[in-house]
Amino acid sequence: MLATVIHAARDIRVEEVPDPVLSTGGDAVVRVVAACVCGSDLWPYRGITPTHAPHRIGHEFVGVVEAIGDDVQRIAVGDFVIAPFYVCDNTCINCRNGVSTSCLHGGWWGSDDRLGAFADGGQGERVRVPLADGTLVSVPAPVSDAQVPGLLSLSDVMGTGHHAAVSAGVQAGESVAVVGDGAVGLCAIIAARRFGATTIIAMSRHPERQQLARLFGATHIVAERGDVGITAVQEITFGIGADRVLECVGTKESMDQAIRSTRPGGMVGYVGAPNGGPELPVRPLFNRNVGVNGGIAPVRGYIEELLPDVLAGVIEPGRVFDLELPLAQAAEAYAAMDDRRAVKVLLRP
Ligand SMILES: [Zn+2]
């Protein structure tokens, strides 16, 4: 089969790789209907994370189950399934505590599972899925083609934006500022509105993304950064800062922006994977009673909660995909996101 392999920075190839096979009774093999490129895939692409040897890449996909092991009970051949961006059993103590990203038996796409069998990357024609009962969520049939982007967003970005809002404790009637206008930041706006926030400030400098932010529920746009941006947020929020700030980038600058845009007693929900060394300034947090909560989003646990709203069209996170390419053009997908010509690219095998 064909799958995406990263060989080095800016060297993405679609190559022939071994077909996945069932390895344990708990496995499934999924034929990928759609996959996508994540902002975090750009780190190895840009060379920020070194690539020492060619390896498979991609961790967001939806597809149809082609085969299951003898022990699989919740998933059937023919099911349309959503895969979260990691493998989990959904039964261990960490999964039950709502942190399935810390699953005691979990793992990551594009690498060996804990028993030593390979779990394929998501950007390919097929994927061997370990712990299929825990990892995969079936979508009630029929699934239309138009629903695919929204379902794919539940693999990562919509669940991650939701986690930012959950972590910050967003409640109805509150003010929320969102730092970051990538796919996760845009989904965080959807999540903030879904929780009933009435003032939603999108911090974005890009006209097309500002437009999407408005469509998703942003009531205000702040294009400025740094002190000027903080002053702009304060002017919208009674001069004190936002009740909740959702940090969806992961850099030192974005974390600083988030913390300083939060009102005394408010909370930052952070989901931007730390990149460039953000550190918490404890004394300013202490002085202003600002809390910081969040981390890698345990999206598996959010899929069932968000799925009905996606299927009903109540929320439309699939709109973050503004470019669709065949899998064969994966290299162009990376380039388009790297150049910010696309917010997020959907790949069709
Ligand atoms: Zn677990």
Side-chain angles (χ1 to χ4, degrees):
M1 70 161 185
L2 293 171
T4 303
V5 178
I6 182 166
H7 283 255
R10 296 179 196 284
D11 185 357
I12 297 282
R13 305 180 201 175
V14 177
E15 297 178 351
E16 193 67 35
V17 300
D19 282 326
V21 291
L22 297 175
S23 162
T24 75
D27 288 1
V29 171
V30 172
R31 175 178 60 80
V32 176
V33 170
C36 51
V37 180
C38 181
S40 65
D41 291 332
L42 295 180
W43 301 352
Y45 183 78
R46 290 171 174 160
I48 296 164
T49 309
T51 298
H52 299 295
H55 63 86
R56 301 274 289 281
I57 189 165
H59 55 254
E60 299 165 44
F61 64 96
V62 294
V64 174
V65 177
E66 280 197 335
I68 55 171
D70 292 339
D71 303 331
V72 173
Q73 296 181 330
R74 291 184 52 259
I75 303 295
V77 171
D79 281 3
F80 188 100
V81 290
I82 301 167
F85 64 84
Y86 52 91
V87 171
C88 64
D89 59 13
N90 210 29
T91 54
C92 77
I93 183 71
N94 286 337
C95 285
R96 281 183 280 126
N97 281 334
V99 274
S100 52
T101 35
S102 294
C103 177
L104 296 173
H105 308 106
W108 309 99
W109 304 117
S111 61
D112 285 350
D113 67 18
R114 297 200 186 208
L115 300 174
F118 188 66
D120 298 84
Q123 293 164 9
E125 292 183 310
R126 286 180 177 72
V127 175
R128 172 189 161 257
V129 177
L131 304 174
D133 272 339
T135 303
L136 300 175
V137 177
S138 289
V139 179
V143 173
S144 73
D145 206 51
Q147 288 174 315
V148 167
L151 298 173
L152 181 58
S153 77
L154 295 177
S155 192
D156 187 342
V157 288
M158 184 59 224
T160 297
H162 177 74
H163 187 56
V166 169
S167 299
V170 174
Q171 295 180 49
E174 290 189 326
S175 59
V176 175
V178 178
V179 179
D181 62 1
V184 170
L186 292 166
C187 286
I189 292 169
I190 295 175
R193 181 160 80 173
R194 191 171 167 276
F195 283 130
T198 44
T199 299
I200 302 176
I201 305 161
M203 304 194 75
S204 169
R205 290 190 283 213
H206 304 81
E208 300 96 47
R209 296 173 189 229
Q210 292 173 357
Q211 201 176 355
L212 201 48
R214 292 252 188 218
L215 185 78
F216 284 165
T219 55
H220 300 75
I221 303 286
V222 169
E224 296 82 8
R225 305 272 175 93
D227 290 338
V228 181
I230 290 159
T231 301
V233 170
Q234 289 171 341
E235 281 170 1
I236 299 164
T237 53
F238 309 103
I240 56 173
D243 296 320
R244 317 285 160 184
V245 180
L246 312 184
E247 194 289 308
C248 303
V249 181
T251 61
K252 193 174 188 308
E253 293 72 24
S254 63
M255 185 61 96
D256 175 69
Q257 188 84 65
I259 290 169
R260 292 167 64 218
S261 299
T262 309
R263 70 160 167 83
M267 180 73 83
V268 174
Y270 80 105
V271 294
N275 182 9
E279 285 180 12
L280 295 181
V282 174
R283 186 77 211 191
L285 293 173
F286 176 88
N287 286 350
R288 302 173 59 246
N289 276 276
V290 166
V292 179
N293 187 30
I296 185 168
V299 299
R300 169 61 185 84
Y302 297 142
I303 295 175
E304 281 105 336
E305 179 182 347
L306 298 170
L307 181 58
D309 281 4
V310 171
L311 290 175
V314 174
I315 58 174
E316 296 184 293
R319 286 179 177 265
V320 298
F321 294 101
D322 54 350
L323 178 62
E324 185 171 320
L325 293 170
L327 175 66
Q329 292 180 35
E332 167 56 16
Y334 279 77
M337 281 179 61
D338 182 42
D339 297 343
R340 292 179 75 91
R341 282 182 280 127
V343 176
K344 195 162 176 73
V345 185
L346 186 145
L347 292 169
R348 298 263 188 182

